[in-house]
Amino acid sequence: YAMLLSLIFLIVLVAAVVGFVFRHEIKTNFESNLNVALRGYNGTADRHSEAVDTIQRTLHCCGVQNYSDWERTEFFTHRGIPQSCCKRQDDCSEEDLKDPSKAKLKVFVDGCFFLVTSTMESKMSIVAGISFGIACFQLVGIVLACCLSRYITNNQYEMV
């Protein structure tokens, strides 16, 4: 049991170190995937379009760096900026969303990449604290399992 807990503890420790060391690559990868999702956005119920809409509605953002990222997409040429970027859903018409100067007043202008990464970084302290607490319980379990094993080994000939 102590060996199994030690193995789990080491796996979690390695995952935490790898996540910390490669955090910049994770950000770069997320930004490129968000750009791909914007280029492939079609406004239907596919998973990429739903993910983009959910991020934009939840974090009150639009595009990757800012709302003008949508101007370089195929969706913009047909329908303008998506409705999920609108500050108020009842105030956004399709004509307003096709004109970037009018859309600037009606959509969220901040990009989603900065908001997502800053939200993740702000929650990292909570995740680190919970992970540290779980690791302490695992270490206590390892020590107690070793103590129990030693006690059983030393008293193997005694009647209980």
Side-chain angles (χ1 to χ4, degrees):
Y1 182 71
M3 295 299 271
L4 180 65
L5 271 179
S6 298
L7 181 67
I8 293 170
F9 177 76
L10 288 175
I11 290 171
V12 170
L13 183 67
V14 167
V17 169
V18 167
F20 181 75
V21 169
F22 293 111
R23 67 186 182 279
H24 298 295
E25 285 82 2
I26 293 170
K27 280 184 181 180
T28 305
N29 197 8
F30 175 72
E31 184 177 17
S32 65
N33 285 334
L34 192 56
N35 276 316
V36 167
L38 250 64
R39 283 193 300 273
Y41 183 89
N42 58 13
T44 61
D46 72 341
R47 62 188 181 119
H48 294 289
S49 297
E50 282 184 6
V52 170
D53 285 338
T54 301
I55 289 172
Q56 291 182 151
R57 280 191 193 104
T58 305
L59 295 178
H60 303 292
C61 59
C62 189
V64 178
Q65 300 300 330
N66 58 35
Y67 76 100
S68 64
D69 292 336
W70 283 104
E71 294 175 37
R72 295 184 295 275
T73 65
E74 188 174 325
F75 182 81
F76 181 82
T77 58
H78 299 295
R79 299 184 51 198
I81 297 172
Q83 287 283 332
S84 59
C85 285
C86 292
K87 294 177 185 175
R88 292 180 39 217
Q89 295 298 319
D90 59 343
D91 191 30
C92 280
S93 66
E94 193 169 319
E95 294 81 33
D96 291 338
L97 295 175
K98 285 184 177 181
D99 183 8
S101 59
K102 289 181 184 177
K104 183 178 183 177
L105 303 172
K106 301 194 180 224
V107 299
F108 303 113
V109 292
D110 296 328
C112 294
F113 175 71
F114 175 73
L115 289 173
V116 168
T117 55
S118 62
T119 302
M120 286 173 36
E121 288 173 355
S122 70
K123 305 294 183 201
M124 282 306 225
S125 60
I126 296 169
V127 171
I130 291 171
S131 300
F132 181 72
I134 292 171
C136 288
F137 279 116
Q138 283 181 320
L139 289 175
V140 168
I142 291 168
V143 169
L144 290 176
C146 289
C147 289
L148 180 62
S149 174
R150 186 170 181 187
Y151 179 76
I152 291 171
T153 304
N154 288 343
N155 298 321
Q156 63 183 337
Y157 297 111
E158 276 185 32
M159 293 293 289
V160 178

